[in-house]
Each structure stands twice: as C-alpha cells, then as structure tokens.
Amino acid sequence: MDVEYAGSVAPEANVRLYWVRSGIPAYTNLVNAYATAFNENRVSSLSCSFGIGGGNLLQSLIQRKVLSKESMNILNFVMAQGALQGTSNFTASGDTGALAYDVNGQAGNHLLMNRSINGIDPVAANSWITSVGGTTLPFSRQEISPQLHFKGTITVPKERAWGWDYLFPAIDSTNGLAHNPSLLVKNSQGSGGGFNTLVPTPAYQVGVPGVNTFNARNYVSNLNQPTMGSPLLSGTGTGRNYPDVSADADPMTGYKIYFKTQGIQWPISGGTSIVSPQYAAMAAVINSQPNRPRMGFWNPQIYQLAQGSESPFTPLNDTENNANLYYTGQPGTVYNQASGLGVPNFAKLAQAYK
C-alpha cells in the first residue's frame, strides 16, 4: 500500500522499500531499519507506517528487560541523524483516534478513556518526525448495516478531522449505543493525536497558537455510558503535540488498494498509513525541482510558515463535527491535536519553503 501510493504521487521517483519483521523485537528492528536507511543515505524522504503498540507495550518490554531504558534515546539519536542529513521523515499518527480502550474484568466491558502516555506510539509522537494525521472528505450516503446497527443517512458537510463520531447518530437507537456501549469499540476509528508527555515540547512548537492547549469532547461517561452531544471541554497539556499535518485517511472517503488474494481485488482502504507515504512522495516531487536543495526535516519551517499571513496550511478549527474521538478544533489558532496544522496547499508550500 505504501509503495502504491508513494508511486502514484511521485510516479518517476525511485522508491526504495525497507522491510522489517514484526514480533517482540519490533522496536529494535524499526530502529535498525531507520539506521540502515540513514547510513545508506540514498533517499530524500522516508515514510513509516510501522506502529509498535504504544507506550504501554514499550514500558512492558523495558520491564521485562527485552529493551533497555535508553531505547527512546536511541530512537531520538537515530532520527536526529536523518534530520541532520536532510532527510524528510514522515510517519502515520495512528488510526484509533485520541482514545484508548481498556477491557476491565470481562470481555465486552470497555471503558473509553482520554489517551495518556500509555496509549502513545513513541514513533508517531517522536519530535524528529513529521507526524501525519487523517481527515474525512465531504460525503453523504444512506447506510444500513445490521451488524454495526447502522440505520440512516451519514453526512459530512465539509472536510474535517477523521473520527467516526459522525457515525454515532446513524446507529440504530433501539438497539444501538445506549443498549450496547461496546459498539463504540467497533466504530472507534480516527486520526491519532494528542500529547507525548515523555518528551518536552520541541522548540518548533513552543509559542504556536493551539499548542499545549486543547478543546475536546468525551464520548463516554465515567459509568461507561455513551454521552452523545457532550459539552466542549478545554484544557492544557505538555510535551510533544502531534500530529503535525493531515490529509484524507478515512476509509469512508478512502482509496482503492491493489490486493492479490484469490484473484486480483481492489478493496477500499484508508488509515494514516496511506497518507504518510503520499507526504513523503510530495517531498520527493518538490525535491526534484531543478537546482533545489532537499527540503530536509519539515517541522521547524512548517510551524513558522503556518503562523504567517500567507500560510500554506488550512487549519481545521471547527469545534462541531470535527474530532478524532476526543480532541477537536480550536478557533483562531493554527494548531489542534486532532489534525495538526491542517491540510497544505503543496504548490504554495513548495514556493514558500526555503
């Protein structure tokens, strides 16, 4: 999928794939893959769709002495090497929104909670990577799905942060969320985003309007009951805010993927893992302009450009119909934890980026 959509955006690029085994040593393998890519220094941009399950898994591996306590520092050093070499690095912010689901006591008893450090993927929220979140494009259609209890019209009037809270009103009220809160788990996709409190707020985010403040809505009460139409919450946070940028990632407005199993198929797919390679490909396209140096590490420049009067970014700042299952927009700011700086005009970005 990554190669297909990187190649679709940059059809004349030489795409190089680094294939990594998963399993218990996933984190070590991922760091080694980055180190290999940077040491080869054969690509101008990299995309990663490799998640390792969040900070809770990382902490567990450290406790079991599978990884050392210095593991996070090793990743930071390796990613800093890429930035210093002028490689643009992108990674998917995740597809489960800003909420974590814990099973308490028995199967089916799910408690929806604000994502804390235990739910953060340390790669997606790394300070040396441009974290790519997801949006939903405008659409409207009738949806009837007995398995997921859909019954009604689903409408998204304009581009918004990707979060499947827009599906909740279409869930059959007679046999839906009120009687079966676990349906939230089945319908809980959205753009990853929030705060990585494991590391300080990076210098390029300090003072940016919207960073370390947030608006949010909680969709489940402390009694594990749905709270549709909950009031807007406001607060402050600390650490690395992510994602940095966004683009369409919702499977409802998604992409066809070439997939060969029992014959050639073209299923519709989505996720922030399909957006990250498109950003890497756009970096390659911009880098291919005559006499142009590599774009390198994006974040210091894009946060500066986003605060200017001619910003190449369109922030998604609405507080209604615009959330990643918790965080929503912040009117009058340039950043929010649901969609980052928003969606760029790449032609404008290429012209302004130095």
Side-chain angles (χ1 to χ4, degrees):
M1 182 183 74
D2 298 61
V3 172
E4 284 180 49
Y5 275 88
S8 70
V9 173
E12 297 183 25
N14 293 319
V15 180
R16 187 168 180 80
L17 175 64
Y18 296 86
W19 189 268
V20 181
R21 288 181 178 271
S22 58
I24 291 298
Y27 184 85
T28 301
N29 290 343
L30 178 64
V31 173
N32 289 341
Y34 270 119
T36 299
F38 296 146
N39 290 339
E40 288 184 347
N41 201 21
R42 296 177 61 179
V43 295
S44 67
S45 59
L46 277 172
S47 171
C48 173
S49 299
F50 196 103
I52 63 172
N56 52 350
L57 174 60
L58 187 63
Q59 188 62 36
S60 175
L61 293 177
I62 292 173
Q63 290 174 351
R64 295 172 184 268
K65 301 187 184 303
V66 177
L67 294 175
S68 69
K69 293 181 180 180
E70 289 74 31
S71 297
M72 288 290 290
N73 289 335
I74 293 172
L75 176 65
N76 285 335
F77 280 126
V78 171
M79 297 312 303
Q81 175 187 343
L84 290 170
Q85 289 178 192
T87 304
S88 302
N89 291 300
F90 304 90
T91 189
S93 71
D95 301 338
T96 56
L99 299 171
Y101 295 82
D102 285 352
V103 178
N104 300 298
Q106 58 184 4
N109 182 17
H110 298 275
L111 178 63
L112 196 62
M113 301 186 300
N114 178 19
R115 170 168 282 183
S116 65
I117 62 171
N118 288 334
I120 285 175
D121 189 313
V123 182
N126 187 277
S127 295
W128 293 102
I129 300 179
T130 301
S131 182
V132 181
T135 68
T136 301
L137 298 179
F139 79 102
S140 180
R141 75 170 185 239
Q142 287 289 118
E143 188 73 34
I144 299 177
S145 174
Q147 290 181 329
L148 296 179
H149 303 277
F150 285 138
K151 185 178 181 181
T153 301
I154 299 172
T155 300
V156 175
K158 61 181 180 179
E159 188 169 11
R160 52 159 285 170
W162 172 34
W164 274 4
D165 56 308
Y166 67 76
L167 296 176
F168 297 163
I171 296 179
D172 183 4
S173 60
T174 61
N175 191 26
L177 295 177
H179 302 280
N180 190 2
S182 66
L183 286 175
L184 283 171
V185 178
K186 296 180 180 180
N187 299 287
S188 62
Q189 293 192 29
S191 175
F195 299 89
N196 180 3
T197 58
L198 297 175
V199 297
T201 305
Y204 54 78
Q205 288 189 324
V206 173
V208 176
V211 168
N212 287 340
T213 62
F214 68 86
N215 285 336
R217 280 191 168 83
N218 206 358
Y219 289 97
V220 173
S221 71
N222 292 333
L223 299 178
N224 200 22
Q225 294 298 313
T227 56
M228 301 301 104
S230 58
L232 187 68
L233 307 172
S234 297
T236 60
T238 59
R240 158 71 155 125
N241 293 226
Y242 78 108
D244 300 301
V245 292
S246 293
D248 177 33
D250 190 341
M252 291 288 189
T253 58
Y255 307 80
K256 289 187 176 182
I257 306 295
Y258 173 84
F259 194 77
K260 187 175 182 181
T261 175
Q262 298 179 348
I264 296 173
Q265 300 180 17
W266 290 89
I268 301 295
S269 186
T272 54
S273 291
I274 204 170
V275 188
S276 179
Q278 293 183 69
Y279 267 88
M282 279 306 307
V285 170
I286 295 172
N287 288 342
S288 69
Q289 294 176 303
N291 302 316
R292 184 181 183 111
R294 285 183 179 184
M295 296 183 78
F297 181 42
W298 276 33
N299 293 10
Q301 279 214 50
I302 62 175
Y303 278 91
Q304 184 178 16
L305 292 173
Q307 297 178 78
S309 58
E310 299 295 327
S311 171
F313 294 93
T314 300
L316 305 179
N317 280 347
D318 290 349
T319 58
E320 300 288 338
N321 300 315
N322 180 45
N324 68 344
L325 298 182
Y326 186 72
Y327 297 108
T328 184
Q330 301 184 75
T333 66
V334 299
Y335 182 88
N336 64 71
Q337 294 77 22
S339 55
L341 299 173
V343 181
N345 177 322
F346 282 108
K348 196 172 180 180
L349 177 63
Q351 185 177 16
Y353 199 107
K354 303 299 183 183

